Amino acid sequence: MKNVAKTCIGLLFLFVIVPNVEGQEDVLKQLQEIAVVDQKVMMPMRDGIRLSTDIYRPKAPGKYPIIFSRTPYNFNSWGDGEQRTRTAQRAYEAVKRGYAYVVQNERGRYYSEGEWDILGTPLTDGYDAFSWMKDQPWSNGKIGTLGCSSTAEWQMAVAALDHPSHAAMVPQGFGAGVGRVGDYFEQGNWYRGGAEQMLFIAWLYGVEHDKFKPRIPEGATQEDLIRISRFYDLAPENPPVDMKEALAHLPIQDILKNINGKREIFDKMVRRTPNHEDWYKGGLYHDNMDFGVPSFWFASWYDVSISPNLALFNHVRSNAKNPEVRDNQYLVIAPTLHCAYTRATENTIVGERNVGDARLNYDEQIYDWFDLWLKDEKNNFKKNTPRVQYYTMGSNKWQASETWPPATAKLTTYYLNSEEGANSIFGDGILSTDEPAESESYDAFVYDPMNPVNSYGGNVCCTGNAVKGGSFDQRVMETRNDILVFTTEPLEEGTEVSGFIESTLYVSSDAKDTDFTIKLIDVYPDGRAYNLDETIQRARYREGYDKEVFMEKEKVYKIDLTPMSTSNYFEKGHRIRVEISSSNFPRFARNLNTGGKNYDEKDGVVAHNRVYHSKKYPSQIRLPMVR
């Protein structure tokens, strides 16, 4: 069983091919031949805190543009008495192309001073780092930021500060840096539709440093730091944890305590409501902020934050005050898991589904982008690079568009219906473009939070062994009576669905509060049912995330779920399916249905839930079909 700490660390370096032992020696030698290596530089911030920074720059005299990666992860060159080469490999690739490569730990992480908080607050640290780097005699004053996951997520809020040297950025898998954008009120992937996403609990177990961690004494010189970094990488050694079992513990607020985890940051976050004021004080980007940097965005269909990622791309294109910034936003959407772009192969398997040859020339495009903005090279990036490059599963091909969604995608409404009942795959749930009949009808199911629907595949990351992400045959789940299954007839012709997927449910419950989930599925002629995306809505937040409005027994409510996203070609003979339920655990925390705070409760209430489908209550899903 893998320790979560081991599975999370390294997201910064997913674009690096880690060489074999002989290759490790080669890259270190090659780097020394071309680069000035300046490690454990303690870069000062405005409040006197110093951040540990490694700098690699060309030996040849001159002024060079900078590629900057700022991260909470461990990039120390030594660990367990052995020299590591991941950072050296990335540095070598940059330096040989005429860049300085700078990697820095956020405050409070490893050799950096200060106290850590998620996204490295205060936000001014990023701005101060830019100012320090631009003033170095070897700098040409232009800086590009690069990284995946937590090495990307700080970039958006700093881009809102519009530092004059922050010339371009390449954020990849950046969802946890998005606080609020349009319909998405996730506060850095902590919430989805008002329900807690449990990935952060597992992630924090792996990465949070204890407040009593070892500290480097004040006054240590760079020479001292380089020497002792050979013996101490300051990384905690976390005992392995069965995260599937750990996340099942109640109350939620005691999960990390129950596994002896560090919990100073978690204890604060778990108590915040979706619109709590503290979400707006840190390093998250919110859509009332400007955006000042040309950006080359990377997202993936099976990432936890695919929809808010795409919404942010559209928001910047439409709302950045500077027209040059608006006009210089580009996007790649790959059919992979979180930060797994370069793991695509000739036969890319995501979960169980083969989505074909999903490879792309990432490094070439990224360096062309940086050459354009950091070196002022008049290259062919804009001529050769589509505004949006997206991979369509099913037809298994890269496609191009000037907008997202593609301009030819039009929403088509599919209504939910049944005659005897849609419970499980053995029911008669129908998904059809025909409007429902006049008569009132509904499907009912029982949601017991002590026996939730288990997450099976999906758009997830960072949950250790609790959830395996990707696309899996959902038939094993669809035998449950607390899952409503609605399926079209076999398609008479192939259909591409590319864009945001909207859904509206008319529901009731005998509980004060409960959740409703939805999942979109591609059903093959042989019955295999592969999940595409999923979402959830907590009923108390159906009227907005700034207030809680509880349900009254047997009263019908309209719920608009947070939009999903995909690009999938449903071949002729395939069927489109949606699943409706009230849990998807531990992808999302269970709603205990009491109307209480949820995070501090141990006992749940069984909810008897209904989903209505009639002319008066037309529950539906709206699919962006490309014509």
Side-chain angles (χ1 to χ4, degrees), residues 54-102:
D54 287 0
I55 301 170
Y56 307 84
R57 55 187 175 85
K59 282 185 175 180
K63 293 180 179 292
Y64 296 96
I66 298 167
I67 294 175
F68 181 45
S69 287
R70 183 163 166 262
T71 181
Y73 296 127
N74 187 11
F75 61 82
N76 197 55
S77 295
W78 290 84
D80 299 322
E82 296 181 354
Q83 197 163 12
R84 295 169 174 168
T85 59
R86 283 179 168 177
T87 304
Q89 179 70 35
R90 171 52 69 188
Y92 175 73
E93 294 298 325
V95 172
K96 76 177 185 181
R97 290 176 167 88
Y99 290 92
Y101 180 72
V102 180

Side-chain angles (χ1 to χ4, degrees), residues 99-269:
Y99 290 92
Y101 180 72
V102 180
V103 58
Q104 180 180 85
N105 266 143
E106 295 175 357
R107 65 168 54 208
R109 301 296 291 176
Y110 304 99
Y111 283 83
S112 286
E113 299 171 348
E115 299 299 325
W116 182 65
D117 202 348
I118 288 180
L119 299 177
T121 52
L123 188 59
T124 52
D125 283 357
Y127 196 95
D128 291 351
F130 295 149
S131 294
W132 186 93
M133 287 186 287
K134 80 173 179 61
D135 289 338
Q136 299 309 299
W138 43 264
S139 168
N140 77 346
K142 293 191 175 183
I143 301 164
T145 50
L146 170 69
C148 199
S149 193
S150 289
T151 311
E153 288 151 358
W154 66 279
Q155 296 182 42
M156 284 78 72
V158 173
L161 301 180
D162 195 19
H163 192 286
S165 287
H166 194 190
M169 53 191 270
V170 182
Q172 305 151 343
F174 48 90
V178 182
R180 177 198 67 217
V181 58
D183 293 327
Y184 303 94
F185 227 98
E186 300 204 351
Q187 305 298 15
N189 292 159
W190 188 266
Y191 284 104
R192 167 72 53 82
E196 302 92 345
Q197 304 197 71
M198 302 197 81
L199 72 96
F200 254 123
I201 303 175
W203 185 81
L204 282 169
Y205 175 78
V207 303
E208 186 169 354
H209 290 182
D210 196 277
K211 61 183 178 181
F212 297 113
K213 69 175 184 175
R215 306 274 179 162
I216 303 300
E218 291 185 11
T221 67
Q222 183 182 16
E223 180 182 2
D224 292 331
L225 294 173
I226 291 173
R227 177 176 54 81
I228 65 174
S229 70
R230 293 169 59 92
F231 312 111
Y232 309 103
D233 66 2
L234 303 187
E237 294 291 337
N238 294 340
V241 166
D242 183 341
M243 199 53 68
K244 186 173 184 179
E245 178 181 340
L247 293 178
H249 180 82
L250 291 173
I252 293 171
Q253 67 180 12
D254 290 342
I255 288 176
L256 289 184
K257 178 181 178 181
N258 188 54
I259 55 176
N260 298 309
K262 291 83 66 179
R263 57 184 194 274
E264 287 78 21
I265 291 175
F266 170 74
D267 284 350
K268 294 186 299 182
M269 295 180 71

